[in-house]
Amino acid sequence: MLYPSMDPNERFRARRAQIRRRKRLRRAAVFAIVLAAVIALAAGMTLAGKSLSDGKEATGAKSGEPALEVSQAAPPQAPPAAQRPRPLPVEIRGVHVTGALASVPGKMAEYVGYTKHGLNAIQLDVKDEGGIVNFVPSSVPLAQRIGASRPHFKPREVVRLARANDVYLIGRIVVFQDPVLARARPDLAIRTAGGGVWETSGGLQWVNPYDRRVWDYAVSVAEATARAGFDEIMFDYVRFPSDGDVSRAVYPGQTSQSRTELVTDFTAYAKRRLEPLGVRVSTALFGLSATRDMGLGQSPRLIAQNVDTINPMAYPALYGGGELGIESPTAEPGETVFRTLADFRSAIRGSRAQLVPWIQDWNFSEREVRQQVEAARLMGAKGFLLWNAAGRYTTSVLAAPATG
């Protein structure tokens, strides 16, 4: 018994004092544990910050160069099931839309209106051949700092419009042809032996595929697009340049890694960063890249391991006479698409990637565009996308295939 010589009131007061002392001791112990945890967490954050800094230095930044400051977004987390990509259409039937066209009031609604003809997909340029980012991504301050961002559309509004009409939305990101970034940051550009920025015969600049900061910039724009709700990200110009005097091109930081390995590694890197956001990844490739090695780093067989869809650019206008064993590819557009996809099917056999070819919808009649679409169907493609830089399309070919 506690304090037996005390009267009941004294024992009660003593007991209460004892309980208070025990509570104070417990609070002190809890405080000490919390304080230790905070100190450990702070130490861990310091180490993590150092690792992140070391990682940025490893991308190729040199002393005295401005920080790239590509992305300020939080690390992506695995999305709930509701945020995963919507089911793919049974057959993708879509058109290409530029950022400039999307900026015209009512134009996106006009293209969405093609659903009455059978359209179920739109490929919208997010980052185009000129290096322009067609919206203003707050998580990619570099795009604004170099003057690449344009408020041509608001991505979330485009997503709402597309989903309200059951349209599958693909955001196209041009990667290594980027005149805006190359001019603003020559340290990221392909150079010449004299130290200048290399240009194509058309006066366009490319950024250096060997510089991982270039990768980060393109994929950061893609992440912002994915977070806005796009269903798929399509990477284009994922290759080395082919136009101009490529013998004069100098790649700072070039390693012994082959072009094919480098381009394939980029697609794997992009997939790793985008997959947690619940978005599909695709890559546009030259139509002949499955037929022969073009020396540009594009291997459909290898890239197919890293993407959900491959988009062969099967435009007959890009083929020379005799390619694919066809005397005049533009005179036989259906056969050209058929043989292109036959080579791609063989190249990606065993992978889970699907084929959705680009179809040439300029300088051809409705019958010739339809021949290409039918060739894609005969080869078991998952669908097709029509390309016309002017945005004028043969809507009659967008109808679903006849059944029965």
Side-chain angles (χ1 to χ4, degrees):
M1 187 176 182
L2 183 65
Y3 309 124
S5 61
M6 296 181 181
D7 66 32
N9 289 332
E10 289 177 339
R11 285 199 299 271
F12 173 75
R13 285 192 292 271
R15 177 64 174 165
R16 187 167 60 183
Q18 185 183 51
I19 291 172
R20 285 173 177 169
R21 284 196 298 273
R22 287 177 179 175
K23 284 183 178 180
R24 285 197 296 271
L25 289 171
R26 281 199 296 269
R27 283 198 296 268
V30 169
F31 177 77
I33 292 170
V34 171
L35 180 60
V38 169
I39 292 171
L41 179 60
M45 290 175 67
T46 301
L47 289 173
K50 183 180 185 303
S51 297
L52 179 60
S53 174
D54 291 345
K56 287 181 179 178
E57 289 172 6
T59 62
K62 300 184 180 70
S63 176
E65 289 180 359
L68 207 59
E69 295 179 17
V70 170
S71 175
Q72 295 177 336
Q77 308 238 338
Q83 292 183 10
R84 297 190 184 280
R86 293 181 297 160
L88 278 167
V90 173
E91 178 188 61
I92 290 175
R93 300 185 297 275
V95 299
H96 160 72
V97 179
T98 67
L101 283 170
S103 72
V104 177
K107 201 65 177 176
M108 280 303 298
E110 178 184 327
Y111 287 119
V112 168
Y114 286 1
T115 51
K116 66 185 177 186
H117 300 293
L119 175 140
N120 58 21
I122 286 177
Q123 177 270 294
L124 178 59
D125 277 358
V126 171
K127 179 175 178 286
D128 62 27
E129 296 90 335
I132 298 301
V133 178
N134 288 296
F135 72 103
V136 183
S138 59
S139 60
V140 192
L142 178 62
Q144 299 173 55
R145 193 164 62 247
I146 65 177
S149 295
R150 301 284 191 280
H152 286 161
F153 59 78
K154 295 181 178 179
R156 294 187 186 277
E157 290 183 4
V158 172
V159 167
R160 282 195 291 270
L161 176 64
R163 295 204 173 189
N165 292 275
D166 201 23
V167 170
Y168 186 76
L169 192 58
I170 305 167
R172 175 171 170 260
I173 307 281
V174 172
V175 181
F176 295 126
Q177 180 173 291
D178 192 331
V180 176
L181 182 59
R183 288 194 297 264
R185 290 290 303 272
D187 57 303
L188 302 179
I190 297 175
R191 310 296 286 272
T192 65
V197 175
W198 181 86
E199 296 181 350
T200 67
S201 56
L204 297 175
Q205 298 81 19
W206 283 56
V207 285
N208 185 5
Y210 287 94
D211 198 316
R212 300 304 174 98
R213 294 172 295 174
V214 169
W215 296 19
D216 185 39
Y217 175 59
V219 177
S220 292
V221 174
E223 284 179 329
T225 306
R227 289 191 181 95
F230 279 60
D231 297 301
E232 180 176 316
I233 301 297
M234 178 194 294
F235 291 103
D236 202 351
Y237 286 74
V238 185
R239 58 179 176 84
F240 282 71
S242 60
D243 177 32
D245 188 356
V246 295
S247 66
R248 297 182 62 247
V250 174
Y251 301 91
Q254 182 174 355
T255 67
S256 59
Q257 187 177 32
S258 72
R259 292 183 173 192
T260 298
E261 291 171 334
L262 188 70
V263 169
T264 302
D265 281 356
F266 170 81
T267 61
Y269 166 83
K271 180 68 173 177
R272 281 196 303 271
R273 283 185 54 178
L274 291 170
E275 193 168 34
L277 300 179
V279 65
R280 295 185 180 91
V281 177
S282 56
T283 312
L285 302 179
F286 268 138
L288 284 170
S289 62
T291 305
R292 56 182 171 83
D293 185 355
M294 304 181 72
L296 305 176
Q298 293 186 339
S299 169
R301 178 180 64 84
L302 297 175
I303 291 172
Q305 308 303 317
N306 300 326
V307 299
D308 301 291
T309 302
I310 284 181
N311 306 102
M313 297 185 292
Y315 314 128
L318 297 185
Y319 295 73
E323 294 281 9
L324 301 173
I326 303 173
E327 183 177 351
S328 176
T330 55
E332 298 185 61
E335 187 66 20
T336 300
V337 171
F338 186 90
R339 296 190 189 186
T340 295
L341 294 182
D343 286 346
F344 269 89
R345 284 190 62 178
S346 177
I348 71 170
R349 185 176 292 119
S351 78
R352 299 177 61 184
Q354 304 191 79
L355 293 176
V356 178
W358 281 108
I359 298 299
Q360 181 177 333
D361 195 8
W362 78 93
N363 294 340
F364 277 145
S365 66
E366 190 271 350
R367 179 179 63 85
E368 291 168 321
V369 176
R370 187 175 298 280
Q371 287 173 350
Q372 297 174 78
V373 170
E374 291 305 320
R377 286 172 174 160
L378 285 171
M379 286 306 301
K382 182 61 178 174
F384 61 90
L385 296 167
L386 302 181
W387 180 284
N388 184 319
R392 294 187 291 269
Y393 293 104
T394 307
T395 55
S396 59
V397 305
L398 293 169
T403 58

